[in-house]
Amino acid sequence: MRPYYSNTGLAFVEVVPLEAMRTGMKIQYVAVVAAAVSMMTACGTPPSAEEVCGSNNLFNFDIRNEPLGSGSRLKTEISKAAAAKTPTTLGDIARDAGWSDNWDRMITVYSDPDIHELNKAAQIDLPEICWQGLPHRTSSDGPSPGYYLFLSNGRRIQAVDWDTLTQPPLNPRFLPSLTPLSALVVDERGELVPAG
């Protein structure tokens, strides 16, 4: 009799020739197939982000897709609107930047966000694995990165990056979100802020 170890290392089986079984030799047989299968499943590789989130619920901030329009142009138009010092809306600024109207809300994503708070602001409920490339502060001395995240019907569409040194003068003042109709005025610091 020789021990045999499975290639997963999860089961130990002592293989006994059939003749030995017939002669009544003492047989030690240690294996519970159901337990081994269960253990192999539990110890397998974790599911991928695509498996957990599905292709429509996975968003990566590092991928710079611009389905709505140029993020650089949007930032330029935000700065122009602040310099003009006249009331406007976020939708007007986006249209001036050549953006499509295929978004209904914008939220601000700050460095090292709390996933619960981020889900709440986005009005969705997804595990952290579905939010990839989130901004992280790399040092206490340097600028903090962030994003303006544009959504449509609860789907994340496009992120526009900024950091605390180059952030366009748009300050949502910790409102959960802005819409295309959100009225914006210029405050005493020269930032566009929600009216009222």
Side-chain angles (χ1 to χ4, degrees):
M1 292 184 267
R2 291 184 311 213
Y4 166 76
Y5 295 93
S6 74
N7 63 355
T8 63
L10 296 175
F12 173 84
V13 178
E14 190 171 2
V15 180
V16 179
L18 187 58
E19 296 79 31
M21 288 174 55
R22 289 186 180 148
T23 61
M25 290 180 64
K26 184 176 180 182
I27 301 171
Q28 293 181 353
Y29 184 81
V30 181
V32 178
V33 175
V37 169
S38 156
M39 287 173 63
M40 285 188 293
T41 303
C43 296
T45 59
S48 69
E50 290 80 12
E51 291 170 330
V52 171
C53 309
S55 61
N56 289 337
N57 284 326
L58 182 62
F59 190 85
N60 191 332
F61 287 89
D62 293 331
I63 298 174
R64 305 296 176 166
N65 291 334
E66 295 186 323
L68 298 174
S70 165
S72 177
R73 254 185 98 187
L74 179 73
K75 291 188 279 189
T76 298
E77 291 301 323
I78 290 170
S79 294
K80 283 183 184 178
K85 298 185 179 185
T86 58
T88 188
T89 67
L90 189 54
D92 288 339
I93 293 171
R95 278 187 290 285
D96 289 344
W99 275 40
S100 77
D101 290 329
N102 295 332
W103 61 279
D104 56 25
R105 286 185 310 112
M106 183 210 82
I107 65 171
T108 305
V109 180
Y110 298 98
S111 293
D112 303 308
D114 174 86
I115 294 302
H116 174 73
E117 293 300 317
L118 189 54
N119 277 331
K120 187 176 172 185
Q123 297 177 357
I124 56 179
D125 186 20
L126 295 170
E128 185 169 357
I129 195 171
C130 301
W131 295 90
Q132 297 185 341
L134 287 167
H136 295 286
R137 187 178 184 122
T138 55
S139 75
S140 59
D141 298 336
S144 295
Y147 291 92
Y148 297 128
L149 178 60
F150 291 82
L151 301 106
S152 177
N153 295 320
R155 285 186 49 243
R156 297 158 294 178
I157 305 296
Q158 181 174 338
V160 177
D161 66 319
W162 52 264
D163 64 52
T164 49
L165 291 181
T166 63
Q167 181 179 7
L170 174 61
N171 184 351
R173 290 206 174 156
F174 303 103
L175 287 180
S177 65
L178 298 176
T179 72
L181 299 177
S182 292
L184 301 171
V185 295
V186 179
D187 70 3
E188 64 281 354
R189 293 183 311 261
E191 294 183 335
L192 287 166
V193 296

